[in-house]
Amino acid sequence: MITVKQLRKSFGKNEILKGIDIDIAKGEVVVIIGPSGSGKSTFLRCMNLLEQPTNGEILFEGEPITARGHNINVTREKMGMVFQHFNLFPHKTVLQNLTLAPTQVRRQSGKEAEKIALELLRTVGLEDKKNTYPNQLSGGQKQRIAIARALAMQPHVMLFDEPTSALDPEMVGEVLDVMKKLAEGGMTMVIVTHEMGFAREVGDRIIFMDNGQIVEQGTPEQVFGTPSHDRTRDFLAKVL
Ligand code: ADP
Ligand code: MG
């Protein structure tokens, strides 16, 4: 579904991504772990071209999205993204938050968008909040709504950048549960997280990034159980 070839990204003279290669299959759940500042967010942001790569190529469903003249808006609709901070529209109800983009960008009818939105609210367990405004929701609820809002565009892949890092501890589980359900439903997912238990349980593949490079990758058993690099071992010793 996604192929990344020799991806490089610099900010000024600072090279942040130093040649990333990866293939992500349809239905795969890839979890990216690594120290702060290693380039995880930059990598995710390059994948949907929120950041323009300095070098390299990205293919999405076979199409070179980094090629000149490619219409990134079409591709971005197929890539849902959820960030640490939820950025819900504060003056819109939960239901309106979910129907806005589908009706305006995808030209769905209001009725159809609402039907899909209600299904998604059921999926994330918040159907009863449809007429609520975001400021009346807890952090965990807001993040579940943010996930539902991304799903409302019917993306082919979901990118998550530390979706639980800003949450109070007691709310982390409800968001991870939604993500787990999504993974079990066959969604292709790329997830940056510090939740190692979740990574181990839900990830098909774990990628350890450090200093702008993929240091090692493998199944959760391999990476958590028998890491083959010192840098991975050092990192895991600190976080586990
Ligand atoms: P991570 O998500 O692994 O913590 P980031 O991708 O956020 O790492 O950041 C990697 C490095 O890139 C950091 O040193 C950060 O300061 C730098 N960086 C990220 N975004 C920008 C930017 N827009 N301009 C300049 N430097 C940036
Ligand atoms: Mg980050």
Side-chain angles (χ1 to χ4, degrees):
M1 176 166 272
I2 303 175
T3 299
V4 176
K5 295 181 191 168
Q6 277 302 301
L7 176 67
R8 289 174 185 273
K9 175 66 184 176
S10 299
F11 292 108
K13 283 186 179 151
N14 240 346
E15 189 169 59
I16 303 301
L17 299 179
K18 301 172 179 170
I20 305 262
D21 290 288
I22 190 175
D23 275 300
I24 296 166
K26 188 166 161 38
E28 194 177 13
V29 178
V30 174
V31 178
I32 303 175
I33 61 172
S36 178
S38 57
K40 305 180 299 296
S41 294
T42 304
F43 176 48
L44 274 195
R45 293 167 60 81
C46 280
M47 234 185 306
N48 66 357
L49 301 190
L50 282 178
E51 296 285 358
Q52 186 62 42
T54 311
N55 241 304
E57 191 181 19
I58 302 171
L59 304 171
F60 178 64
E61 299 181 327
E63 242 189 280
I65 63 173
T66 38
R68 203 193 305 232
H70 174 81
N71 182 353
I72 185 54
N73 291 325
V74 174
T75 303
R76 253 188 225 135
E77 284 172 32
K78 298 179 191 161
M79 295 182 164
M81 182 138 184
V82 176
F83 304 90
Q84 194 171 336
H85 296 283
F86 350 94
N87 304 317
L88 296 174
F89 306 118
H91 303 298
K92 304 230 176 270
T93 65
V94 162
L95 192 63
Q96 288 166 341
N97 264 275
L98 267 63
T99 55
L100 191 71
T103 50
Q104 305 218 329
V105 181
R106 297 198 74 197
R107 309 250 168 235
Q108 266 174 18
S109 70
K111 211 172 163 190
E112 192 191 355
E114 197 170 308
K115 182 168 165 271
I116 294 170
L118 289 172
E119 273 166 31
L120 288 168
L121 287 178
R122 211 169 302 139
T123 306
V124 302
L126 291 169
E127 210 186 356
D128 57 329
K129 300 290 184 195
K130 63 180 179 182
N131 295 319
T132 302
Y133 286 86
N135 66 5
Q136 294 167 291
L137 300 171
S138 72
Q141 290 171 335
K142 280 184 205 166
Q143 194 60 302
R144 283 147 70 196
I145 296 297
I147 294 171
R149 183 177 60 173
L151 291 171
M153 289 295 278
Q154 299 174 303
H156 297 189
V157 57
M158 285 284 286
L159 311 176
F160 292 88
D161 193 0
E162 297 196 30
T164 60
S165 293
L167 299 177
D168 290 337
E170 74 270 24
M171 294 172 185
V172 169
E174 66 194 64
V175 173
L176 295 180
D177 284 346
V178 166
M179 293 168 65
K180 193 176 157 195
K181 203 149 86 171
L182 206 53
E184 286 166 353
M187 177 61 81
T188 309
M189 298 163 77
V190 185
I191 305 166
V192 174
T193 186
H194 292 296
E195 295 292 331
M196 296 300 151
F198 171 81
R200 198 171 188 144
E201 188 188 356
V202 178
D204 293 315
R205 180 161 38 136
I206 307 295
I207 293 190
F208 173 66
M209 262 182 85
D210 192 17
N211 196 23
Q213 289 173 314
I214 293 178
V215 174
E216 81 174 275
Q217 56 180 306
T219 64
E221 292 71 31
Q222 288 167 337
V223 175
F224 290 113
T226 54
S228 49
H229 287 261
D230 286 343
R231 279 195 278 171
T232 317
R233 274 192 288 273
D234 289 348
F235 174 75
L236 291 176
K238 283 181 199 138
V239 297
L240 287 180

